[in-house]
Amino acid sequence: MIIALALVLAVAFGAGDQYLGSMSWYPWAADVSLLSAPWLVLGFLAGWTQRDPRRAALLGLACTTVALIAYGLMTLSPVENAQLTVQSAVAFVRSESPVIVGALFTGPLFGWFGQRWRSTRASLGALVTAAAVCLEPLVRIPAGVAIRFPAVWIVEVAAGVAMGAYVFAAARAVAPRSRG
């Protein structure tokens, strides 16, 4: 049941991300849609639902994959004034191939991070996830794709800082206290 729910939510995430990017009446929506870190959090949360590391990695990959498929189908749908054909699907896969290849690695990795956080409070993967959220706006600047709306990057940095603070607090709460 959890796996099915995770996959359904991943489909909604992927389709919603694409739809958000097409909302031209909200100019900030395109910036939100272009964020990469939420896709890493998707894998992390999927993995967090699992007790077994292998299943967590597979679910992270599956959720990222179905979210990308939903994103692609939404991109090539009449909602986006497009038409799904073999040619348009091939062109989409070619244009998004770096994202697809990246997802083959990040989906399982962040799924595993989520499972490790759930089962042992292994903080490194959770901190990497928080850092990705927090630092994405800064990394985008030298890449030439800076976030245009300050509110978008402020919210993303704040979310990353909040995630990191939670991880530190939770890890500290479970760490054995030193005697002295």
Side-chain angles (χ1 to χ4, degrees), residues 109-168:
L109 177 63
F110 282 82
W112 180 72
F113 284 165
Q115 188 279 331
R116 300 300 301 147
W117 173 250
R118 174 191 175 152
S119 64
T120 66
R121 286 296 189 241
S123 57
L124 182 60
L127 289 173
V128 167
T129 306
V133 174
C134 188
L135 298 175
E136 180 178 11
L138 295 175
V139 172
R140 291 172 58 108
I141 294 169
V145 287
I147 297 170
R148 297 169 297 158
F149 292 89
V152 173
W153 69 258
I154 289 169
V155 168
E156 187 174 29
V157 168
V161 168
M163 289 169 61
Y166 173 76
V167 170
F168 275 120

Side-chain angles (χ1 to χ4, degrees), residues 64-132:
T64 304
T65 300
V66 299
L68 283 170
I69 290 169
Y71 181 93
L73 289 173
M74 185 65 132
T75 300
L76 302 173
S77 75
V79 173
E80 300 292 333
N81 295 319
Q83 188 174 28
L84 178 59
T85 64
V86 171
Q87 293 83 6
S88 65
V90 168
F92 176 81
V93 169
R94 279 192 188 132
S95 70
E96 297 296 323
S97 61
V99 173
I100 294 166
V101 170
L104 293 175
F105 294 100
T106 60
L109 177 63
F110 282 82
W112 180 72
F113 284 165
Q115 188 279 331
R116 300 300 301 147
W117 173 250
R118 174 191 175 152
S119 64
T120 66
R121 286 296 189 241
S123 57
L124 182 60
L127 289 173
V128 167
T129 306

